[in-house]
C-alpha cells in the first residue's frame, strides 16, 4: 500500500519545548519554521507545531483504556514500535497509557502507547501484529 503524506497542524505553547520533544526525543527532522510555527517530518508525514492555546482533552473507552481525544500518531512496524517505546521509557517519559498489546488474539491486535507532548497534545504510537489488518473489520 502506498500512502500520501498527511499534514496536521496542532497547537503548542512553547516552540522550543516542541523542538526538544519532536526533534530530539521522538527523532523527527525539522523542516521550515518561523517565529510562530515549525514543521517536522513525522515518519514521512508533515506535522506543524503552531503557537496557540491547546484544547481540552476528552477520553473514550477502548479495550479497557481511557483513550485521550483528540490525539494523533503513526502506525509503525512491530520492531520500530518497541524500539521507540524503549527509548521513551529510558528517557523517563510519563506514558498516559503504557506500551501494551490491545485486542489480543483479534483481527485488530496491536501494540499501542499514548503520551502527551509538552503542550498537552495527545499522541498514539501503534503497531499492528498483522499490518495488513490495519483497516480490516472483525
Amino acid at each position: 500500500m502506498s500512502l500520501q503524506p498527511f499534514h496536521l497542524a496542532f497547537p503548542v505553547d512553547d516552540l522550543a519545548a516542541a523542538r526538544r520533544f519532536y526533534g530530539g526525543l521522538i527523532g523527527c527532522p525539522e523542516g521550515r519554521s518561523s517565529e510562530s510555527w515549525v514543521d517536522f517530518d513525522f515518519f514521512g508525514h508533515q506535522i506543524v507545531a503552531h503557537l496557540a492555546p491547546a484544547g481540552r482533552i476528552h477520553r473514550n473507552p477502548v479495550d479497557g483504556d481511557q483513550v485521550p481525544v483528540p490525539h494523533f500518531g503513526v502506525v509503525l512496524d512491530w520492531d520500530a514500535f518497541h524500539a521507540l517505546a524503549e527509548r521513551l521509557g529510558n528517557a523517563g517519559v510519563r506514558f498516559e497509557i503504557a506500551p501494551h498489546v490491545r485486542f489480543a488474539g483479534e483481527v485488530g491486535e496491536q501494540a499501542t502507547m499514548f503520551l502527551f507532548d509538552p503542550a498537552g497534545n495527545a499522541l498514539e504510537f501503534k503497531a499492528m501484529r498483522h499490518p495488513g489488518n490495519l483497516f480490516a473489520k472483525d
Side-chain angles (χ1 to χ4, degrees), residues 24-107:
L25 184 60
I26 301 296
C28 300
E30 186 173 321
R32 295 172 295 124
S33 66
S34 78
E35 291 181 4
S36 62
W37 56 267
V38 59
D39 285 349
F40 294 99
D41 178 344
F42 188 74
F43 302 88
H45 303 282
Q46 183 191 46
I47 61 171
V48 186
H50 284 268
L51 280 176
R56 189 183 139 185
I57 298 293
H58 174 76
R59 287 174 170 52
N60 282 335
V62 178
D63 198 36
D65 293 323
Q66 290 297 315
V67 170
V69 177
H71 67 264
F72 69 95
V74 68
V75 181
L76 301 170
D77 71 43
W78 200 258
D79 292 338
F81 171 89
H82 290 287
L84 179 60
E86 183 176 355
R87 186 167 80 238
L88 295 173
N90 289 341
V93 167
R94 185 183 92 63
F95 292 102
E96 177 69 11
I97 299 174
H100 70 287
V101 174
R102 163 188 299 161
F103 305 123
E106 298 178 31
V107 170

